[in-house]
Protein backbone atom coordinates (compact mmCIF):
# COMPACT_ATOMS: atom_id res chain seq x y z
CA UNK A 1 0.00 0.00 0.00
CA UNK A 2 1.23 3.51 -0.93
CA UNK A 3 0.90 6.40 1.52
CA UNK A 4 1.58 10.03 0.64
CA UNK A 5 3.05 12.64 2.90
CA UNK A 6 3.46 16.35 2.16
CA UNK A 7 7.07 17.50 2.59
CA UNK A 8 6.92 20.71 4.63
CA UNK A 9 9.82 20.80 7.11
CA UNK A 10 13.43 21.25 6.05
CA UNK A 11 14.22 17.60 6.82
CA UNK A 12 11.22 16.42 4.74
CA UNK A 13 12.21 18.66 1.82
CA UNK A 14 15.73 17.25 2.07
CA UNK A 15 14.24 13.74 1.70
CA UNK A 16 12.34 15.06 -1.35
CA UNK A 17 15.56 16.42 -2.91
CA UNK A 18 17.62 13.33 -2.07
CA UNK A 19 15.22 10.65 -3.34
CA UNK A 20 16.67 10.66 -6.91
CA UNK A 21 20.17 10.12 -5.47
CA UNK A 22 18.94 6.69 -4.37
CA UNK A 23 16.85 6.04 -7.50
CA UNK A 24 19.77 6.77 -9.86
CA UNK A 25 22.71 5.67 -7.72
CA UNK A 26 23.78 3.08 -10.33
CA UNK A 27 23.26 5.35 -13.38
CA UNK A 28 26.30 6.68 -15.21
CA UNK A 29 24.09 9.18 -17.06
CA UNK A 30 22.16 10.89 -14.25
CA UNK A 31 23.55 14.28 -13.20
CA UNK A 32 22.84 15.15 -9.53
CA UNK A 33 21.82 18.69 -8.61
CA UNK A 34 23.52 20.63 -5.82
CA UNK A 35 21.35 19.78 -2.79
CA UNK A 36 21.46 23.29 -1.28
CA UNK A 37 20.41 24.80 -4.65
CA UNK A 38 17.43 22.46 -4.94
CA UNK A 39 16.37 23.25 -1.38
CA UNK A 40 16.51 26.96 -2.20
CA UNK A 41 14.28 26.35 -5.25
CA UNK A 42 11.62 24.91 -2.92
CA UNK A 43 12.06 27.59 -0.24
CA UNK A 44 9.08 29.95 -0.31
CA UNK A 45 11.16 32.69 1.34
CA UNK A 46 13.98 32.51 -1.24
CA UNK A 47 12.54 31.55 -4.64
CA UNK A 48 10.65 34.55 -6.11
CA UNK A 49 8.52 32.17 -8.23
CA UNK A 50 6.39 31.78 -5.08
CA UNK A 51 5.23 35.41 -5.39
CA UNK A 52 3.04 34.29 -8.30
CA UNK A 53 2.86 30.55 -7.71
CA UNK A 54 1.90 27.98 -5.11
CA UNK A 55 3.52 24.58 -4.75
CA UNK A 56 3.13 21.49 -2.60
CA UNK A 57 5.70 18.70 -2.42
CA UNK A 58 4.68 15.10 -1.85
CA UNK A 59 6.62 11.97 -0.96
CA UNK A 60 5.24 8.49 -1.62
CA UNK A 61 6.04 5.77 0.94
CA UNK A 62 5.80 1.99 0.73
CA UNK A 63 6.83 -0.11 3.74
CA UNK A 64 8.15 3.06 5.40
CA UNK A 65 10.53 3.69 2.49
CA UNK A 66 10.40 6.68 0.10
CA UNK A 67 9.50 5.32 -3.35
CA UNK A 68 8.44 8.48 -5.25
CA UNK A 69 8.00 12.25 -5.22
CA UNK A 70 6.13 15.01 -7.07
CA UNK A 71 5.79 18.79 -6.92
CA UNK A 72 2.26 20.09 -7.57
CA UNK A 73 2.45 23.67 -8.91
CA UNK A 74 -0.11 26.38 -9.61
CA UNK A 75 1.23 29.35 -11.59
CA UNK A 76 -1.22 32.21 -10.99
CA UNK A 77 0.30 34.41 -13.74
CA UNK A 78 -0.45 31.69 -16.25
CA UNK A 79 -3.99 31.14 -14.97
CA UNK A 80 -5.00 34.81 -14.57
CA UNK A 81 -3.12 36.53 -17.41
CA UNK A 82 -3.14 33.80 -20.05
CA UNK A 83 -6.40 32.20 -19.00
CA UNK A 84 -4.71 28.78 -19.07
CA UNK A 85 -6.49 26.70 -16.43
CA UNK A 86 -3.47 24.45 -16.03
CA UNK A 87 -2.22 22.42 -13.07
CA UNK A 88 1.54 21.99 -13.36
CA UNK A 89 3.61 19.17 -11.91
CA UNK A 90 7.33 18.50 -11.89
CA UNK A 91 10.23 16.90 -10.01
CA UNK A 92 8.29 13.69 -10.62
CA UNK A 93 10.32 10.56 -9.85
CA UNK A 94 9.22 7.08 -8.86
CA UNK A 95 10.18 3.42 -8.75
CA UNK A 96 8.77 1.17 -11.50
CA UNK A 97 5.45 0.61 -9.74
CA UNK A 98 2.22 2.01 -11.23
CA UNK A 99 0.60 2.11 -7.81
CA UNK A 100 3.23 4.70 -6.80
CA UNK A 101 3.07 6.90 -9.94
CA UNK A 102 -0.76 6.75 -9.90
CA UNK A 103 -1.01 7.81 -6.25
CA UNK A 104 1.27 10.81 -6.84
CA UNK A 105 -0.51 11.96 -10.01
CA UNK A 106 -3.92 11.47 -8.41
CA UNK A 107 -2.81 13.87 -5.68
CA UNK A 108 -1.85 16.48 -8.29
CA UNK A 109 -5.22 15.99 -10.03
CA UNK A 110 -7.05 16.39 -6.72
CA UNK A 111 -5.36 19.78 -6.10
CA UNK A 112 -6.15 20.87 -9.68
CA UNK A 113 -9.81 19.96 -9.25
CA UNK A 114 -10.01 21.83 -5.93
CA UNK A 115 -8.83 24.95 -7.80
CA UNK A 116 -11.27 24.39 -10.70
CA UNK A 117 -8.45 23.88 -13.21
CA UNK A 118 -9.13 22.16 -16.52
CA UNK A 119 -6.06 19.99 -17.13
CA UNK A 120 -2.68 19.00 -15.71
CA UNK A 121 0.63 19.05 -17.57
CA UNK A 122 4.12 17.90 -16.69
CA UNK A 123 6.83 17.44 -15.98
CA UNK A 124 7.39 21.21 -15.93
CA UNK A 125 8.77 23.67 -13.40
CA UNK A 126 7.56 27.04 -12.13
CA UNK A 127 8.58 28.98 -15.26
CA UNK A 128 10.21 28.77 -18.69
CA UNK A 129 13.69 28.87 -17.19
CA UNK A 130 13.06 25.67 -15.23
CA UNK A 131 13.65 22.12 -16.45
CA UNK A 132 11.01 20.61 -18.72
CA UNK A 133 9.92 17.27 -20.15
CA UNK A 134 10.30 13.57 -19.49
CA UNK A 135 13.09 11.91 -21.48
CA UNK A 136 11.72 9.50 -24.12
CA UNK A 137 14.86 8.92 -26.24
CA UNK A 138 18.58 9.26 -25.50
CA UNK A 139 18.86 7.40 -22.19
CA UNK A 140 22.45 6.45 -22.99
CA UNK A 141 23.66 10.08 -23.04
CA UNK A 142 24.77 11.96 -19.95
CA UNK A 143 22.25 14.46 -18.59
CA UNK A 144 22.89 18.15 -17.99
CA UNK A 145 22.39 20.64 -15.17
CA UNK A 146 19.43 22.21 -17.04
CA UNK A 147 17.44 19.04 -17.83
CA UNK A 148 15.87 16.16 -15.95
CA UNK A 149 17.13 12.63 -16.55
CA UNK A 150 14.82 9.67 -15.98
CA UNK A 151 14.52 5.91 -16.39
CA UNK A 152 13.00 4.60 -19.63
CA UNK A 153 9.93 3.17 -17.83
CA UNK A 154 8.55 6.66 -17.01
CA UNK A 155 6.90 7.08 -20.42
CA UNK A 156 4.93 3.82 -20.03
CA UNK A 157 3.56 5.01 -16.69
CA UNK A 158 2.21 8.25 -18.18
CA UNK A 159 0.53 6.43 -21.05
CA UNK A 160 -0.84 3.62 -18.88
CA UNK A 161 -2.42 6.25 -16.63
CA UNK A 162 -4.26 7.95 -19.51
CA UNK A 163 -1.92 10.88 -20.19
CA UNK A 164 -1.39 12.07 -23.78
CA UNK A 165 1.51 13.92 -25.37
CA UNK A 166 1.23 17.70 -25.04
CA UNK A 167 4.57 19.11 -26.27
CA UNK A 168 7.57 17.45 -27.91
CA UNK A 169 11.12 18.74 -27.39
CA UNK A 170 14.32 17.85 -29.20
CA UNK A 171 17.92 18.13 -28.05
CA UNK A 172 20.58 18.48 -30.73
CA UNK A 173 24.36 18.35 -30.81
CA UNK A 174 27.07 19.08 -33.35
CA UNK A 175 30.89 19.22 -33.33
CA UNK A 176 32.17 22.80 -33.05
CA UNK A 177 34.14 22.03 -36.22
CA UNK A 178 30.85 21.95 -38.17
CA UNK A 179 30.70 25.74 -37.88
CA UNK A 180 32.07 26.86 -41.26
CA UNK A 181 33.02 30.57 -40.91
CA UNK A 182 32.29 31.07 -44.63
CA UNK A 183 28.59 30.74 -43.73
CA UNK A 184 28.49 33.75 -41.43
CA UNK A 185 31.67 35.91 -41.62
CA UNK A 186 30.68 37.92 -44.71
CA UNK A 187 27.05 38.06 -43.64
CA UNK A 188 28.15 39.29 -40.20
CA UNK A 189 29.80 42.39 -41.74
CA UNK A 190 26.87 43.02 -44.10
CA UNK A 191 24.19 42.81 -41.38
CA UNK A 192 26.16 45.05 -39.01
CA UNK A 193 26.52 47.73 -41.72
CA UNK A 194 22.93 47.48 -42.96
CA UNK A 195 21.28 47.87 -39.55
CA UNK A 196 23.96 49.80 -37.64
CA UNK A 197 24.58 46.97 -35.18
CA UNK A 198 27.59 46.05 -33.13
CA UNK A 199 28.59 43.24 -30.78
CA UNK A 200 29.37 43.82 -27.10
CA UNK A 201 31.74 41.39 -25.37
CA UNK A 202 32.83 41.18 -21.74
CA UNK A 203 35.64 39.56 -19.81
CA UNK A 204 34.35 40.23 -16.26
CA UNK A 205 31.02 39.05 -14.81
CA UNK A 206 30.50 42.31 -12.90
CA UNK A 207 30.57 44.28 -16.17
CA UNK A 208 27.73 42.15 -17.58
CA UNK A 209 25.35 42.84 -14.68
CA UNK A 210 24.05 46.25 -15.88
CA UNK A 211 22.81 44.61 -19.12
CA UNK A 212 21.18 41.57 -17.55
CA UNK A 213 17.80 43.24 -16.83
CA UNK A 214 17.65 44.39 -20.46
CA UNK A 215 18.44 40.83 -21.47
CA UNK A 216 15.52 39.38 -19.48
CA UNK A 217 13.17 42.06 -20.90
CA UNK A 218 14.26 41.02 -24.38
CA UNK A 219 13.78 37.36 -23.45
CA UNK A 220 10.17 38.15 -22.49
CA UNK A 221 9.63 39.99 -25.81
CA UNK A 222 11.27 37.26 -27.91
CA UNK A 223 9.28 34.33 -26.52
CA UNK A 224 5.94 35.95 -25.64
CA UNK A 225 4.17 34.30 -28.59
CA UNK A 226 5.07 30.73 -27.59
CA UNK A 227 2.06 28.86 -26.20
CA UNK A 228 3.86 27.76 -23.05
CA UNK A 229 5.42 31.12 -22.21
CA UNK A 230 5.15 32.68 -18.76
CA UNK A 231 6.94 36.09 -18.47
CA UNK A 232 9.84 36.50 -16.06
CA UNK A 233 8.97 39.05 -13.36
CA UNK A 234 11.30 41.78 -12.04
CA UNK A 235 11.87 39.87 -8.80
CA UNK A 236 12.79 36.72 -10.73
CA UNK A 237 15.24 38.73 -12.85
CA UNK A 238 17.29 39.75 -9.82
CA UNK A 239 17.11 36.19 -8.45
CA UNK A 240 18.35 34.58 -11.69
CA UNK A 241 21.00 37.27 -12.04
CA UNK A 242 22.39 36.47 -8.61
CA UNK A 243 22.02 32.71 -8.93
CA UNK A 244 23.28 31.99 -12.46
CA UNK A 245 25.26 34.78 -14.11
CA UNK A 246 28.38 34.25 -12.00
CA UNK A 247 28.35 30.58 -13.06
CA UNK A 248 28.66 31.47 -16.74
CA UNK A 249 31.94 32.52 -18.33
CA UNK A 250 31.51 36.21 -19.29
CA UNK A 251 32.97 35.51 -22.73
CA UNK A 252 30.10 33.02 -23.31
CA UNK A 253 27.44 35.75 -23.04
CA UNK A 254 27.06 37.75 -26.27
CA UNK A 255 25.11 40.98 -26.72
CA UNK A 256 24.18 42.80 -29.94
CA UNK A 257 23.14 46.47 -29.73
CA UNK A 258 21.79 49.01 -32.23
CA UNK A 259 22.95 52.61 -32.97
CA UNK A 260 21.29 53.84 -29.76
CA UNK A 261 23.02 51.09 -27.74
CA UNK A 262 19.67 49.36 -27.23
CA UNK A 263 19.96 45.59 -26.80
CA UNK A 264 18.41 43.80 -29.79
CA UNK A 265 19.87 40.30 -29.38
CA UNK A 266 21.67 38.14 -26.85
CA UNK A 267 22.91 34.59 -26.47
CA UNK A 268 24.05 32.56 -23.48
CA UNK A 269 26.28 29.52 -23.70
CA UNK A 270 27.28 27.49 -20.65
CA UNK A 271 30.22 25.14 -20.19
CA UNK A 272 29.13 21.56 -19.52
CA UNK A 273 29.04 20.96 -15.76
CA UNK A 274 27.71 17.39 -16.07
CA UNK A 275 30.88 15.45 -15.14
CA UNK A 276 31.76 18.02 -12.45
CA UNK A 277 28.31 17.65 -10.86
CA UNK A 278 28.67 13.86 -10.87
CA UNK A 279 31.97 14.24 -9.02
CA UNK A 280 30.45 16.77 -6.58
CA UNK A 281 27.71 14.24 -5.60
CA UNK A 282 25.29 16.99 -4.63
CA UNK A 283 27.67 18.92 -2.38
CA UNK A 284 29.62 22.13 -3.00
CA UNK A 285 32.02 21.49 -0.12
CA UNK A 286 34.70 20.42 0.37
CA UNK A 287 35.50 19.50 -3.27
CA UNK A 288 32.34 20.17 -5.32
CA UNK A 289 33.13 23.84 -5.88
CA UNK A 290 36.61 22.89 -7.12
CA UNK A 291 35.17 20.49 -9.74
CA UNK A 292 32.68 23.13 -10.92
CA UNK A 293 35.34 25.84 -11.23
CA UNK A 294 37.56 23.43 -13.17
CA UNK A 295 34.68 22.69 -15.56
CA UNK A 296 34.00 26.41 -15.99
CA UNK A 297 37.64 26.96 -17.00
CA UNK A 298 38.42 23.78 -18.91
CA UNK A 299 35.27 22.10 -20.27
CA UNK A 300 35.55 21.42 -24.00
CA UNK A 301 31.78 20.89 -24.30
CA UNK A 302 29.28 23.76 -24.24
CA UNK A 303 25.50 24.14 -24.08
CA UNK A 304 23.62 26.79 -26.03
CA UNK A 305 21.25 27.80 -23.25
CA UNK A 306 19.30 30.80 -24.57
CA UNK A 307 19.13 32.96 -27.69
CA UNK A 308 16.84 35.99 -27.81
CA UNK A 309 16.31 38.33 -30.77
CA UNK A 310 13.97 41.34 -30.76
CA UNK A 311 10.91 40.61 -32.97
CA UNK A 312 11.85 43.53 -35.30
CA UNK A 313 15.20 41.89 -36.03
CA UNK A 314 14.11 38.28 -36.41
CA UNK A 315 14.77 36.80 -39.88
CA UNK A 316 17.25 39.59 -40.64
CA UNK A 317 20.45 37.59 -40.30
CA UNK A 318 21.38 38.78 -36.79
CA UNK A 319 22.35 35.22 -35.86
CA UNK A 320 25.33 35.59 -38.23
CA UNK A 321 26.80 38.18 -35.80
CA UNK A 322 26.15 35.88 -32.82
CA UNK A 323 27.69 32.83 -34.54
CA UNK A 324 30.69 34.86 -35.70
CA UNK A 325 31.39 35.92 -32.12
CA UNK A 326 31.05 32.38 -30.78
CA UNK A 327 33.22 31.01 -33.58
CA UNK A 328 36.10 33.23 -32.39
CA UNK A 329 35.55 32.34 -28.72
CA UNK A 330 35.21 28.58 -29.35
CA UNK A 331 38.30 28.52 -31.55
CA UNK A 332 40.35 30.24 -28.84
CA UNK A 333 38.99 27.83 -26.18
CA UNK A 334 39.38 24.72 -28.42
CA UNK A 335 35.74 23.69 -27.86
CA UNK A 336 34.89 20.17 -29.15
CA UNK A 337 31.10 19.68 -28.95
CA UNK A 338 28.13 22.01 -28.92
CA UNK A 339 24.84 20.90 -27.35
CA UNK A 340 21.48 22.63 -27.46
CA UNK A 341 19.01 22.62 -24.61
CA UNK A 342 15.46 21.32 -25.31
CA UNK A 343 13.67 23.11 -28.17
CA UNK A 344 10.02 22.74 -29.11
CA UNK A 345 9.59 20.50 -32.12
CA UNK A 346 7.23 23.00 -33.80
CA UNK A 347 9.78 25.84 -33.52
CA UNK A 348 10.65 25.97 -37.24
CA UNK A 349 12.65 29.20 -36.86
CA UNK A 350 15.13 27.54 -34.51
CA UNK A 351 15.60 24.60 -36.91
CA UNK A 352 16.34 27.02 -39.75
CA UNK A 353 18.84 28.88 -37.61
CA UNK A 354 20.97 25.79 -36.97
CA UNK A 355 20.58 23.88 -40.24
CA UNK A 356 24.07 24.73 -41.61
CA UNK A 357 25.75 23.13 -38.57
CA UNK A 358 24.42 19.63 -39.45
CA UNK A 359 23.00 19.01 -35.97
CA UNK A 360 21.99 15.53 -34.86
CA UNK A 361 18.95 14.94 -32.63
CA UNK A 362 20.33 12.82 -29.78
CA UNK A 363 17.53 13.15 -27.21
CA UNK A 364 13.78 13.67 -27.23
CA UNK A 365 11.53 14.58 -24.37
CA UNK A 366 7.92 15.56 -23.96
CA UNK A 367 5.34 16.86 -21.55
CA UNK A 368 2.11 14.95 -20.95
CA UNK A 369 -1.36 16.24 -20.17
CA UNK A 370 -4.59 14.87 -18.81
CA UNK A 371 -7.94 16.62 -18.54
CA UNK A 372 -9.32 17.15 -15.06
Amino acid sequence: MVTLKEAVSKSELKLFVKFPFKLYKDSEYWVPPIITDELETFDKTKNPAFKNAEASFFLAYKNNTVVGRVAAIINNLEINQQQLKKMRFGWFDFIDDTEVSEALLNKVAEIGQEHQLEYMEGPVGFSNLDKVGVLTEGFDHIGSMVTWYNHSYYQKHYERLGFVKEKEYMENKFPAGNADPALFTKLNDLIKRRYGLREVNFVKSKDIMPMVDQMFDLFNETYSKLSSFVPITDVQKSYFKKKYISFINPEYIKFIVDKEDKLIAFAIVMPSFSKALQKAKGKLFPFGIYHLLQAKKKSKDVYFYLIGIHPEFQNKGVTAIIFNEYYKTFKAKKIDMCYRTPELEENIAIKQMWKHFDPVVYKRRRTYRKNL
Side-chain angles (χ1 to χ4, degrees), residues 209-226:
M209 292 305 180
M211 291 192 76
V212 173
D213 284 346
Q214 276 190 69
M215 182 182 81
F216 282 127
D217 288 339
L218 183 53
F219 173 80
N220 280 344
E221 245 178 309
T222 304
Y223 293 97
S224 60
K225 289 187 173 67
L226 285 180

Side-chain angles (χ1 to χ4, degrees), residues 249-303:
N249 310 42
E251 63 273 29
Y252 284 169
I253 300 179
K254 305 295 182 186
F255 296 113
I256 314 296
V257 297
D258 66 11
K259 292 171 197 160
E260 280 80 45
D261 287 338
K262 187 187 166 196
L263 186 67
I264 64 100
F266 74 90
I268 298 177
V269 161
M270 297 172 77
S272 173
F273 290 107
S274 300
K275 291 268 168 62
L277 285 164
Q278 286 182 331
K279 288 175 189 168
K281 297 178 180 170
K283 293 175 182 171
L284 281 177
F285 302 103
F287 303 116
I289 195 81
Y290 168 78
H291 295 306
L292 292 169
L293 288 171
Q294 287 296 102
K296 185 178 173 182
K297 272 191 224 162
K298 298 181 178 176
S299 177
K300 298 301 175 196
D301 295 341
V302 295
Y303 279 85

Side-chain angles (χ1 to χ4, degrees), residues 191-202:
I191 299 300
K192 284 202 285 197
R193 278 200 309 272
R194 181 178 293 170
Y195 300 111
L197 306 177
R198 67 182 176 87
E199 70 279 357
V200 180
N201 288 305
F202 293 98

Side-chain angles (χ1 to χ4, degrees), residues 105-359:
L105 290 172
N106 282 348
K107 188 67 189 174
V108 176
E110 186 187 306
I111 294 169
Q113 285 158 353
E114 282 167 9
H115 287 80
Q116 279 101 47
L117 300 178
E118 291 169 3
Y119 69 100
M120 55 196 277
E121 182 189 354
V124 292
F126 293 94
S127 78
N128 300 75
L129 288 179
D130 284 321
K131 299 174 183 182
V132 68
V134 62
L135 195 64
T136 57
E137 283 177 32
F139 301 101
D140 55 348
H141 292 275
I142 194 166
S144 76
M145 74 182 293
V146 294
T147 55
W148 281 308
Y149 183 82
N150 56 265
H151 289 306
S152 58
Y153 60 75
Y154 278 39
Q155 184 178 358
K156 291 178 201 146
H157 281 247
Y158 281 103
E159 289 166 5
R160 199 179 297 148
L161 294 168
F163 283 75
V164 295
K165 180 179 88 167
E166 174 69 352
K167 298 182 190 80
E168 185 90 13
Y169 296 83
M170 299 178 305
E171 291 177 55
N172 291 263
K173 64 176 182 175
F174 58 89
N178 282 13
D180 178 359
L183 294 169
F184 43 80
T185 305
K186 277 185 190 167
L187 191 57
N188 160 67
D189 297 332
L190 177 72
I191 299 300
K192 284 202 285 197
R193 278 200 309 272
R194 181 178 293 170
Y195 300 111
L197 306 177
R198 67 182 176 87
E199 70 279 357
V200 180
N201 288 305
F202 293 98
V203 291
K204 290 182 181 170
S205 296
K206 68 179 177 65
D207 296 335
I208 289 171
M209 292 305 180
M211 291 192 76
V212 173
D213 284 346
Q214 276 190 69
M215 182 182 81
F216 282 127
D217 288 339
L218 183 53
F219 173 80
N220 280 344
E221 245 178 309
T222 304
Y223 293 97
S224 60
K225 289 187 173 67
L226 285 180
S227 61
S228 59
F229 186 73
V230 180
I232 298 165
T233 64
D234 289 343
V235 188
Q236 284 174 301
K237 285 176 202 169
S238 53
Y239 175 74
F240 287 128
K241 190 195 294 188
K242 186 175 145 202
K243 189 169 180 181
Y244 294 115
I245 298 300
S246 60
F247 250 107
I248 303 166
N249 310 42
E251 63 273 29
Y252 284 169
I253 300 179
K254 305 295 182 186
F255 296 113
I256 314 296
V257 297
D258 66 11
K259 292 171 197 160
E260 280 80 45
D261 287 338
K262 187 187 166 196
L263 186 67
I264 64 100
F266 74 90
I268 298 177
V269 161
M270 297 172 77
S272 173
F273 290 107
S274 300
K275 291 268 168 62
L277 285 164
Q278 286 182 331
K279 288 175 189 168
K281 297 178 180 170
K283 293 175 182 171
L284 281 177
F285 302 103
F287 303 116
I289 195 81
Y290 168 78
H291 295 306
L292 292 169
L293 288 171
Q294 287 296 102
K296 185 178 173 182
K297 272 191 224 162
K298 298 181 178 176
S299 177
K300 298 301 175 196
D301 295 341
V302 295
Y303 279 85
F304 276 85
Y305 182 49
L306 277 180
I307 289 183
I309 299 172
H310 192 281
E312 276 180 38
F313 286 91
Q314 287 169 14
N315 306 315
K316 288 184 176 172
V318 173
T319 49
I321 309 173
I322 294 170
F323 291 150
N324 193 58
E325 290 307 301
Y326 278 124
Y327 177 75
K328 291 184 282 189
T329 303
F330 291 173
K331 199 173 174 192
K333 293 245 179 202
K334 298 184 170 61
I335 296 302
D336 290 332
M337 285 296 293
C338 299
Y339 296 86
R340 282 155 41 205
T341 48
E343 294 157 351
L344 278 167
E345 190 174 43
E346 72 252 29
N347 193 338
I348 306 301
I350 209 94
K351 288 182 192 170
Q352 287 296 107
M353 192 167 88
W354 295 104
K355 64 182 180 185
H356 296 302
F357 297 88
D358 294 328

